Amino acid sequence: MSMVPSLSPHNREKLLDALGDAQRIGMLGDRSLNDVIDHSLAFVVTLPETVRTVVDLGSGGGDPGLVIAAARPEILTTLVDRRAKRTDLLTRLVGRMGFQSHVEVLEIDVALLPQRFPGRTWDAVTSRGFGSPAYTAQHAAPLLSTGGLLIVSEPPGSDGVRWRDPEVEATGLKWREVLHGVAVLQKS
């Protein structure tokens, strides 16, 4: 797995400012923003150094997508949400943070991504709370390159058993582990 993520104090401040905007308009709940960032760093830790492209499903207020972009600027990060209000905010935040060179924002239903971008795949798919395991796997699998990873936030104390399900396995995703509070599955 990857190196220990590092955020410069400057990037942490930029994230606190950006995620604060998302939180003020109800897109991130009321958790401490430092806790939000620290949890999102679990996604960063889990991404192998070889990953060059990530798509974040249901990006909402930018958690974990913006944190990945801040910690790993060598990765082209795609933030996807179907709601214009959210993608408008994400586009403004990406511009304000100066991430335009390595972050794209798409307003689209995830189910339509393979049709809109035929043949395009990503090295990793991330999601903080997109849907049930079967629903998430069904929509993530077509977006992943062979060997790509699905990395999804898990409830505290989870052992990931909910991902070891025939419906998930039918998508070609194989359970690997829970690491730092995120479930990791790999496309075969």
Side-chain angles (χ1 to χ4, degrees), residues 30-179:
D30 59 1
R31 293 184 302 160
S32 149
L33 293 176
N34 278 307
D35 288 348
V36 170
I37 292 169
D38 291 343
H39 176 69
S40 291
L41 286 172
F43 288 84
V44 177
V45 169
T46 306
L47 291 168
E49 291 182 38
T50 56
V51 167
R52 293 292 168 251
T53 58
V54 170
V55 60
D56 182 44
L57 307 184
S59 295
D63 166 29
L66 289 176
V67 178
I68 292 168
R72 298 278 305 272
E74 78 280 9
I75 294 176
L76 173 60
T77 303
T78 304
L79 307 177
V80 177
D81 205 288
R82 66 181 178 190
R83 296 185 185 117
K85 179 179 177 182
R86 292 176 180 202
T87 56
D88 289 348
L89 173 69
L90 289 169
T91 299
R92 287 193 307 277
L93 297 177
V94 165
R96 190 165 76 203
M97 296 177 81
F99 290 173
Q100 303 93 318
S101 66
H102 66 282
V103 179
E104 68 178 334
V105 178
L106 300 176
E107 178 193 337
I108 187 170
D109 189 300
V110 169
L112 301 177
L113 273 174
Q115 297 161 2
R116 183 155 168 210
F117 300 99
R120 182 174 180 187
T121 59
W122 286 263
D123 298 330
V125 172
T126 59
S127 174
R128 184 173 59 89
F130 185 68
S132 71
Y135 182 84
T136 301
Q138 173 190 357
H139 289 88
L143 305 177
L144 282 168
S145 56
T146 301
L149 299 177
L150 171 60
I151 304 169
V152 184
S153 188
E154 278 293 281
S158 171
D159 65 359
V161 70
R162 66 193 190 118
W163 294 96
R164 289 170 263 179
D165 174 285
E167 286 185 76
V168 171
E169 291 175 7
T171 67
L173 293 173
K174 301 295 180 209
W175 162 257
R176 282 186 42 185
E177 63 189 327
V178 170
L179 186 65

